[in-house]
Structure formats: C-alpha cells, structure tokens
Amino acid sequence: MAISDMQKVHMAVHKTISDEVMGRIQKLGCCQFIARSHESVDERDIAPLRTRLRKIEELLGEARFVSRFLEPFATEKGSGLARAMGDMPSYSLDALSKVASEDTFKTTSCKLRDLEKRLSDARTGMSRVTGLVAQLKPLAQLPYSLDFYTTGTEETAGNLFSVPLAQADALKSALGGALGEMLDLYALPTSEKDTSQLFSVIFPREKAADVQNAMHDITASRIDVPAQLKDTAANELVRLDEEYGELKLSEETVVDEITAMANDAYKECQLFSDYWTIQKNRADALIDGEQTEQILLVSFWIPKTCMARFTQATSLYQDLIDVVTTDPEEGELPPTLLRNKGLAEPMEPLITMYGTPTYGAFDPTGIVTPFFYLFFGMCFGDAGYGLVIAGILLLILMRKPVTGTLKKFLVILTVSNLMAVVVGTLTFSWFGDSITAFPFLSFLKPLGALQVLDPMNDPMTFLGISLSLGFIQILVGLFIAMRENIRSGNKFAAFADQGGWVIFLCGLVLLGLSSAGMLPLPTSLAGAIAAVGAIILVATQGREKPSIFGKLFSGVMSLYNVTGYLGDVLSYSRLLALGLGSAAVGMVINLLCNLVAGAGPVGIVLAVVIFVVGHTFSIAVNILGAFVHSLRLQYVEFFGKFYEASGEDFTPLTMSTQYVKLTD
Amino acid sequence: METVLATMAEQLGPALVILGAALAVGFAGSGSAWGIGLANEAAAGIMTEDPKKFGYALVLLALPGTQGIYGLLVAFIALLKAGLIGGGDVTVSVWQGLGIGCACLPIAISGFYSAIWQGKSSAASILMISKRPDQIGKAVILPAMCETYAVFGLLMSILMLNGIQL
C-alpha cells in the first residue's frame, strides 16, 4: 500500500561504453529517462544518434510493411490472447539479435517487395484486360479490323456510333443523304434487351466533316476504340482472353510463392520487429541525454529500492561512469510506481485505470482491495457460479504461463469468485436454488446448515448490511482525506472538513438507530453528537467567505451536502439488488427446467440444455454486472472522497517485447 | 349478476398481476432492445473500419441488455408470488393483485428509460474504443452509470413484491 520513493540519477558515461551501459539499464527495466530541455540541445552532438534512430525507424517501417503485406497470407499468426497466455517462443537477447539479423531480413523484405510488385503488376494487368474485354464485348460481331476506327487507311476512315433504337433510321437516312454511294454503313445485330444500336460507318477521309455534320442532329455517341487493338474484335477478344489467362497464372504463381514463405517470413518479421523495437527504445532514451565529444550525460528516475540493483549492474564500468543521486526537488513531480503486496498487487491496474495516484499522495490500492473483493462476492453472490469460474481460472493460471496485466486480471477474478463462493454459501445459493429445486440434489441439503441469511425472503437484513458497508467505506474515505490533510499540514481543514462530517454523519446514524430502538443509546445523546457535527460544519464551511453573513449562509447551506452522502450510501444498495438478481435469475432457470422436466425423456434432455445454457448466460451477464458495479462503487462513491489522481505513470526503459519471451 | 361480479372480482386480482408482469417485461425489454439498437449502429460503424473490434464492441453493446433481464426477473417473481407459475396454492385478491401489478412498475419505467440512455452512452463508448482500445475499462464504466437507476428500480420492485402479504 504504497508509492515507491523515487530518486533522480544523473549519470555521465564514457561514449565507448554508453551502449553497453544503456543495454544493462534497459535489462534492469527500472529507470525512466528524463528528456532534457530543448535549449541545451546541440544538434551537432546528437547527429550520429539521429542517423542511427532514423535507420532503426526505417527498419521498423520495413517490418511493418512486411507484416501488413503478409497478414492475409500467413496462416500461423498466433492470436494476441494466445500470446498473453504465454504462448510465444523464448529467446535470449543474443539469440534474438542473431535471428533478427538485418541482412537476412533485408533479403526477405527485398524478395517480398519484388513479389509485391509482381503481384500488383499482374493484378493491374488483369483489371486492364477486364476493362478492354468489357469495351470489346458489344463489338464482337463487327466484321472489320479495329484499326479502321483508330488509324484508318490512307483513303478511308471509320467511326463507331451508338444511337438509341428509335433513332436508328434517322441515322441511316442522315448519313445516306450526306455520303450517298460512298457510305459503308454496317449495323451491328441487336438483342431484345438492347435499347441502343451500334453502327460502323466507313467513309472516304475527305468526307469526315460531312459525317460530323450529319451526326449533329442525332443523339448519337461516338465510341472510341483503344489504339492498341488492331485485329477484328472477335480475334482481339480471343487474344485478350489468352492474356488474361497468362496474367491469372502469373498472379497465382506469385501468390503461391508468397504463401510458401508467408509463415516463416511473418515469424521472422515479428522477431525482427521485437528486436529493433528494443533498440529503438534504447536509442530514444539516449537521445534524451546530453552529449559531449567523449561523454554522454543522462538523467533518470529510479525507485529507491532498485538503486542497489542498479549499482550492481553498472559496477563493471566503475571507472568509466560517474553517478550522482538526488532526491526529488521542490516542485518536481516524479513518476508514480505503485508497490503493493499479496492480493492487493493485482488490483493496481484497476486503480491506475481511474487515474495514477499523485507522487507522494495516498495509494488507495490496499484499502480498495478487501472492499472490491467483498462487493464482487456480494453482487455475484452464488457459490455454484463462483466455483465454476474460480475453478476454470485457477486451471488457466496453473497451466499457462500468463504474465502481466492479464495475469493480474485473472487473479482478481479468481479471488472475487472465491468470495462469491463464500457469500453464496452463507446465503445458500448454489446455481440459484438448485439444491431445493431438484430432488436428486437433495443430498446436498446439509450445505443449508451454513446459511446465515436468506436474501430472497429477508432482503431487509441484506440491505442493511449493504448500506452499512457503504457507510463504513465512505467513513474510511473521509478518514483518508483527513489523514492527507494532516500530513500536508492542513490540520484545520482535517478537523473542519472531514472531522465535522464524520461527527455529523455518525451522529445522524446513531440518532436513526437509537430512535428505531435498534441501539441502546439515549436519543438525546445521539442527537447531541449530530448537533456538534452540524455546529462544526456551520461554523467552518463558509470560512473563505469575506462577510459574516456569507460565512453563516455558506455554513448552513453546506449541511445540504448530507443528501450527497445519503445518495452515496444508498448507492450501495446495488449490492443487494445485483446479488438478488443473480439468485433470482438462477431460480427462474431452475423453475423452467422443472417445468419441462415433467414431459418424459425429451423433457429431461431439454431441462439439461436449459440448465447449462441458462446458467452459462446468467454467469456471463452477472459477472459483468458484478465487476462493473463493484468497481463503480470504488471509483465514484469512494474515490470521490479523497483520491488525487494527477500522477504520471512510471514508464521505465525496458526490454519489452510483443512476440517473444526474453529468457535473460 | 352477483355471481358474475364475484367471478370478475376473483379473476381481477391475477389479471392485475399479469398486467404488471407484462409491463415489466414489455417496457424493460423494449428499452433494452432500443438501447442495444443504438449501440449497434455505432458498433457496426466502427467495425467497417476495423472488424477486429467486434469483441470490445459486443461487451459494450450488451450492457443495455441487463434491463430486459431485470424486467423478466421481476415478472417471474410476480407470477411466482401470485401462483400463476410454479403452482403455488395462493389466491390473490383485487387489492393484492393491484399491489403486485404496481410493484412491477419501478423496473418497467426505470428499465425502459435507463436502457435507452445507456444505449446512447454505450454508443459513445464504442466510438471511444475505436480510437483508444486500451481504454476499454473506462469505456465499460461510463454506461454503467445509467444502469444504476435500473438497479434501483429492480431493487424497489423486489422489495415491494417481497413486502406484499398474501
């Protein structure tokens, strides 16, 4: 339950060993480099580094091209989930550097670039041929060579026209009138579906203008024939068909070639990209430093607890490095690294999801942990469901080398579900009311002896427990805020803002309980406690207002905030609602099973199906609800009281990889 | 005439229970369908760009579906209480029937409206994860804020049903 103390390290390294030292620091994975201010940058000093970084970025760009290009072809890509479950190859950094050699990868990527070009040539060719074929299809029955309509002969020229069927006669007479005997007009045959007709017009070159004039009044469009087509349309179509076949074959060959190498090349690319990402991160950290001719100066944040490891890792180079360690200066905000133990540790990602705690402020992980597990248990609230999910998750955790955030998430879910088993046992909820609903499960009835609560028939007790837990958590929140105020020297605020509310709220609750006869406490005493709290609040909450009237008015108005606290506590009634929801959904499923089970053997089969599908559905819905609402209670009702989440995550330079497990 | 009136009075109780159950399932379910429909539009939109977001989108668009389940739940409890399913040997008077029918209203109304607004929130969250898939945790929390009031509706319906003495 703490935030790691950070130290700032300034390190001067002789350039001859800077890369080695940075490699060791990267392997340690606990130093977050600090970028220097822009004024101190002398571009000449870092020019070689920039060149190196550019080269690495080019290599990574090439890797991105390869992986994008191969994605549709590779069949063994491995899913993100499988990788998160630890299903990836192991390499030492040395071995990885050999496998991810620049030369081998460049050969692969050049080959792939070439294949990509051939593939795109073939595909462009195919689409060009398809276009030409579509253009030529209507002309298939034209008996003349197509070059009549492009170059023509010395004496004659030709045109192709398309006219609406209704205008066909008009075209014939217009051209006949203009050219008379010298006209060679050929009408291409039409089918029933055609709405227009194609005409071939061949005429003496000198009559070209007459043809144009004759066509002027008719809505005819001239059809251009691509210049590269010389032969008759029918012959050209045959030739194009052959060309398409060749292109298709060449496309298939290229695709086969790519597919043959896709899986290996894809894997190679993943290794390559991991290795060079490590190199890039290192170079990025280096560029954050200051360079002189012989020396590299870098600064970084390191958790105090890691200093010993850092000193040990760099002890080899004692003579060539110089290290100065300082504590964070006034006004400096180091990054935040949470350091929790046991069951609280996996909760860290959930805390930082809301926001990272400010460095030096309170880390709520430890306090949130028991509340979250308990709330989840109450919301999910079924021992049968809890056992099934916890069992599955435990199996995964034991069988698979899961790491990182996924592991933390699975641990949270496992513990939460075990909590649901506890709550379910205490409320005698096993797959809803299956033990009492199905006679063949009656041997499990002794489990009922463990029941202490029956929320279905006595929801008020469970509601009381839910609201009490809410009240306790809100008080805890106020106490944390109080502690933070005291720590930062603001004792008056601690007394007035939090103390006043704690006394007032406790007084009100005591007053309520004693007047309901649930507490052997004189009502007047409880009332007096509440009054003391109220007086503190009225007297202090308007302290920033200038006039006495303003102070009093704000003080009195602040009491209105009690509705906020009331709302917060009532919000915890969802623990009962969701818990009842799980139990009742289970009960309804069991009821349906019993209804159909009476209908002979088919009914029994149907009942089993309803039981399995129904409860699976119920688990899916309720587990999501339980998780989200338990978390919401922390985020909204609890964190609202005290949590300062303006910190910055600690992001050290690490050997982080996506596709391989580094063994050293 | 008197026998007719007596029969009507005898049957009006269960009829009111059925009306309440029908409202709970009908309205909460309609709200859920509406909400999921709204979220679906956003989900389909982001999947045209990146079909891999299906998993995330599905979680988010399923969120407004809970109200329908709450409605179904309350309807079942109401019918069960009145002995209309499960075969309990109970008779429901007109006033008891009216009480059970009214007890179904909190989830019917809060379920209907909260599901629609939760659907809109889910749609917004789906658009958010299309750009920032790493923020799925926050994206799930936001629509749950709307669901709170359906949870309260469910709670009140159950408490009311529990409080009616037969």
Side-chain angles (χ1 to χ4, degrees), chain A residues 398-554:
Chain A
M398 285 192 300
R399 291 269 172 86
K400 298 272 181 187
V402 196
T403 51
T405 311
L406 182 69
K407 181 176 180 184
K408 291 182 173 174
F409 185 67
L410 293 184
V411 172
I412 292 176
L413 274 184
T414 311
V415 179
S416 304
N417 276 287
L418 290 175
M419 203 51 160
V421 176
V422 173
V423 175
T425 309
L426 295 178
T427 56
F428 195 47
S429 177
W430 295 82
F431 293 101
D433 61 347
S434 63
I435 292 180
T436 43
F438 304 120
F440 71 93
L441 285 177
S442 55
F443 69 95
L444 289 170
K445 272 193 179 150
L447 281 172
L450 297 170
Q451 181 177 18
V452 293
L453 255 180
D454 182 5
M456 279 309 254
N457 293 317
D458 177 22
M460 294 316 283
T461 311
F462 206 93
L463 181 66
I465 294 173
S466 304
L467 298 184
S468 310
L469 282 171
F471 185 66
I472 291 169
Q473 196 179 26
I474 283 169
L475 282 188
V476 170
L478 284 173
F479 278 120
I480 296 171
M482 195 190 261
R483 201 191 87 141
E484 287 299 284
N485 268 333
I486 292 172
R487 216 166 51 109
S488 60
N490 208 344
K491 288 189 180 136
F492 185 72
F495 163 73
D497 298 347
Q498 284 88 36
W501 274 111
V502 169
I503 297 171
F504 185 49
L505 293 174
C506 288
L508 286 182
V509 171
L510 290 175
L511 185 64
L513 290 178
S514 59
S515 51
M518 292 159 81
L519 208 68
L521 189 81
T523 323
S524 52
L525 179 62
I529 296 175
V532 169
I535 290 167
I536 294 175
L537 290 173
V538 172
T540 59
Q541 293 306 292
R543 59 184 185 275
E544 271 151 25
K545 292 278 183 287
S547 69
I548 296 224
F549 181 73
K551 283 180 204 288
L552 198 64
F553 184 72
S554 299

Side-chain angles (χ1 to χ4, degrees), chain A residues 601-635:
Chain A
V602 181
I604 289 175
V605 173
L606 203 60
V608 172
V609 172
I610 292 180
F611 186 87
V612 174
V613 175
H615 284 295
T616 310
F617 173 75
S618 168
I619 287 176
V621 168
N622 286 309
I623 206 169
L624 186 65
F627 193 88
V628 166
H629 285 282
S630 312
L631 198 56
R632 174 226 140 97
L633 287 175
Q634 315 300 327
Y635 283 0

Side-chain angles (χ1 to χ4, degrees), chain A residues 353 456 459 574 628 632 636, chain B residues 70 138 140 144-145 148 155 162:
Chain A
M353 191 169 96
M456 279 309 254
R574 78 187 68 225
V628 166
R632 174 226 140 97
V636 181
Chain B
Y70 295 158
K138 288 172 191 160
V140 172
M145 297 291 153
T148 299
L155 182 66
N162 193 63

Side-chain angles (χ1 to χ4, degrees), chain A residues 38-286:
Chain A
H38 284 287
E39 299 90 66
S40 63
V41 180
D42 184 346
E43 280 299 323
R44 275 169 304 177
D45 288 336
I46 55 167
L49 248 183
R50 284 229 186 279
T51 319
R52 181 165 159 216
L53 198 59
R54 208 163 31 241
K55 192 193 112 190
I56 297 177
E57 271 161 5
E58 273 165 21
L59 290 174
L60 285 171
E62 196 62 17
R64 273 193 295 276
F65 153 74
V66 171
S67 104
R68 246 200 323 266
F69 179 63
L70 288 180
E71 186 131 42
F73 301 99
T75 48
E76 297 163 16
K77 282 179 283 199
S79 70
L81 185 67
R83 278 196 290 276
M85 292 278 190
D87 187 10
M88 46 188 181
S90 304
Y91 282 92
S92 68
L93 190 66
D94 261 356
L96 187 65
S97 77
K98 284 185 193 105
V99 183
S101 111
E102 215 180 307
D103 294 338
T104 340
F105 184 72
K106 275 196 171 156
T107 321
T108 314
S109 86
C110 278
K111 197 169 171 201
L112 284 172
R113 287 259 180 213
D114 176 52
L115 285 170
E116 188 214 16
K117 189 172 176 303
R118 280 167 56 199
L119 187 65
S120 100
D121 284 351
R123 285 182 176 162
T124 326
M126 279 157 71
S127 74
R128 179 181 55 85
V129 169
T130 317
L132 284 177
V133 168
Q135 257 181 303
L136 280 188
K137 273 265 165 73
L139 308 178
Q141 281 162 310
L142 191 66
Y144 311 121
S145 297
L146 291 171
D147 52 2
F148 268 125
Y149 310 98
T150 51
T151 49
T153 63
E154 211 170 301
E155 298 283 317
T156 59
N159 278 161
L160 287 165
F161 291 104
S162 163
V163 285
L165 277 175
Q167 297 243 344
D169 290 336
L171 176 130
K172 282 181 201 162
S173 61
L175 285 175
L179 297 172
E181 286 295 301
M182 282 186 259
L183 172 69
D184 179 349
L185 185 69
Y186 175 79
L188 275 87
T190 54
S191 72
E192 277 174 19
K193 275 186 263 171
D194 288 341
T195 53
S196 59
Q197 186 164 24
L198 283 171
F199 284 98
S200 146
V201 187
I202 294 174
F203 48 86
R205 267 191 190 282
E206 69 270 13
K207 293 283 183 187
D210 294 341
V211 172
Q212 287 299 323
N213 289 337
M215 300 306 290
H216 200 74
D217 302 328
I218 300 165
T219 44
S221 49
R222 204 178 126 179
I223 297 188
D224 288 321
V225 177
Q228 73 264 38
L229 303 175
K230 308 275 185 213
D231 208 340
T232 60
N235 288 348
E236 287 289 355
L237 278 171
V238 173
R239 190 185 62 75
L240 285 173
D241 194 43
E242 278 166 17
E243 191 183 341
Y244 188 85
E246 280 163 23
L247 286 166
K248 179 90 193 146
L249 192 70
S250 116
E251 189 215 5
E252 277 164 12
T253 324
V254 176
V255 167
D256 285 348
E257 265 183 70
I258 299 172
T259 314
M261 63 184 291
N263 284 332
D264 288 342
Y266 197 78
K267 266 180 218 145
E268 187 191 333
C269 169
Q270 289 182 331
L271 300 181
F272 185 83
S273 130
D274 263 356
Y275 178 76
W276 285 101
T277 306
I278 292 175
Q279 299 300 324
K280 180 182 181 293
N281 291 342
R282 192 184 300 172
D284 277 339
L286 273 171

Side-chain angles (χ1 to χ4, degrees), chain A residues 375 378-379 462 466 469 572-580 633:
Chain A
F375 291 171
M378 288 170 77
C379 291
F462 206 93
S466 304
L469 282 171
Y572 286 79
S573 64
R574 78 187 68 225
L575 297 177
L576 164 68
L578 292 167
L580 274 184
L633 287 175

